[in-house]
Amino acid sequence: LATGPRQNNSIFYEIRTYDIRPSKMKEFLEMVNKCLHFRTAHSELVGFWYTELGAMNKVFHIWKYDNFAHRTAVWQALANDNDWQGKFISAALPLIEKQHNEVAYLVPWCQLGKPPKEGGVYEWVTFQMKPGGPALWGEAFRAAINAHINTGYTRLIGVFHTEYGLLNTVHVLWWNENPDHRAAGRHSAHEDARVVAAVRSSVRFLESQQNVLLIPLQCSPLK
């Protein structure tokens, strides 16, 4: 019931979330910045972030694949990559408490974007929608996203709809210059009648929502 229209290609994104031992967060981030080039030699990294607000001691990273055969080939190559296994995996695994992954597609009306400049912050918003998929809530959800874009205070990076993982989940990635700029923009948006109307229409299909403020790592393509 969760599947619906998606972009007309086989490209998908794997969203990986790791819970890091609190006392080891600094060590883990330093290790990622030092060793991630071994991993990116095999497939494309969209972005790598750690959480600042809304969750603690978590990292998010998004990987792009041409199709499922491509992902299988990449993981086979990684298993045989002595640098990746020996210099990162063996040292990093003891620092990780939990791992979670999802497979998601960009929604058909969204292309993966980039921020206008480096140095901002990202907001990762997870919407758990009612069962039925985009055929039920897609147009109302799109209208709500566009209403926020039209205010001009934030930049949309991507809208992802899950295919594997918790279904009827939509992740929206936003970019803002800084947390205060985001807060001021949100305040103005809440007083904008167009935004209020669009959100009220979309929220009829909403089960829950979670927002997380993300800081990009030095090695992240999206900074």
Side-chain angles (χ1 to χ4, degrees):
L1 293 178
T3 56
R6 61 179 184 238
Q7 296 205 2
N8 188 28
N9 56 50
S10 58
I11 293 173
F12 67 86
Y13 298 84
E14 183 174 3
I15 302 164
R16 300 183 69 88
T17 306
Y18 296 169
D19 286 18
I20 310 302
R21 292 172 58 190
S23 62
K24 299 296 184 179
M25 189 67 169
K26 183 176 183 290
E27 181 181 348
F28 180 83
L29 296 181
E30 290 174 347
M31 194 180 306
V32 172
N33 278 318
K34 180 180 178 180
C35 297
L36 197 65
H37 64 282
F38 297 126
R39 175 63 182 83
T40 55
H42 294 278
S43 65
E44 181 179 346
L45 173 67
V46 174
F48 205 119
W49 304 266
Y50 66 88
T51 56
E52 179 74 6
L53 296 171
M56 297 182 68
N57 302 304
K58 288 181 180 287
V59 296
F60 286 75
H61 39 127
I62 303 176
W63 299 87
K64 180 180 178 181
Y65 293 101
D66 296 335
N67 49 47
F68 288 97
H70 178 213
R71 182 184 183 277
T72 298
V74 167
W75 279 82
Q76 289 175 344
L78 287 170
N80 296 310
D81 186 324
N82 292 331
D83 284 330
W84 177 244
Q85 295 294 330
K87 296 179 180 180
F88 181 78
I89 293 297
S90 59
L93 283 180
L95 313 184
I96 300 173
E97 291 188 330
K98 185 167 59 176
Q99 295 175 297
H100 176 73
N101 74 331
E102 298 171 281
V103 166
Y105 293 92
L106 284 171
V107 296
W109 43 270
C110 174
Q111 299 293 323
L112 192 63
K114 293 183 177 180
K117 60 182 180 181
E118 293 186 2
V121 296
Y122 291 79
E123 184 177 8
W124 182 255
V125 189
T126 298
F127 298 91
Q128 186 59 42
M129 308 301 292
K130 293 183 182 296
L136 175 66
W137 42 258
E139 288 304 314
F141 188 87
R142 179 180 183 179
I145 294 297
N146 285 336
H148 283 87
I149 293 172
N150 291 339
T151 63
Y153 81 88
T154 187
R155 175 68 66 95
L156 178 66
I157 303 300
V159 181
F160 304 89
H161 178 217
T162 56
E163 183 78 4
Y164 288 98
L166 187 59
L167 298 184
N168 291 293
T169 301
V170 184
H171 300 291
V172 183
L173 183 62
W174 300 96
W175 178 91
N176 289 280
E177 290 188 20
N178 55 60
D180 286 320
H181 182 263
R182 182 261 184 196
R186 289 279 290 182
H187 181 76
S188 297
H190 290 163
E191 297 178 348
D192 188 317
R194 297 165 300 176
V195 175
V196 172
V199 170
R200 282 178 176 172
S201 177
S202 177
V203 78
R204 296 177 296 139
F205 306 108
L206 181 65
E207 297 281 4
S208 65
Q209 176 181 339
Q210 182 178 16
N211 295 34
V212 180
L213 186 71
L214 301 176
I215 307 297
L217 271 67
Q218 180 182 350
C219 62
S220 176
L222 287 177
K223 291 187 177 66

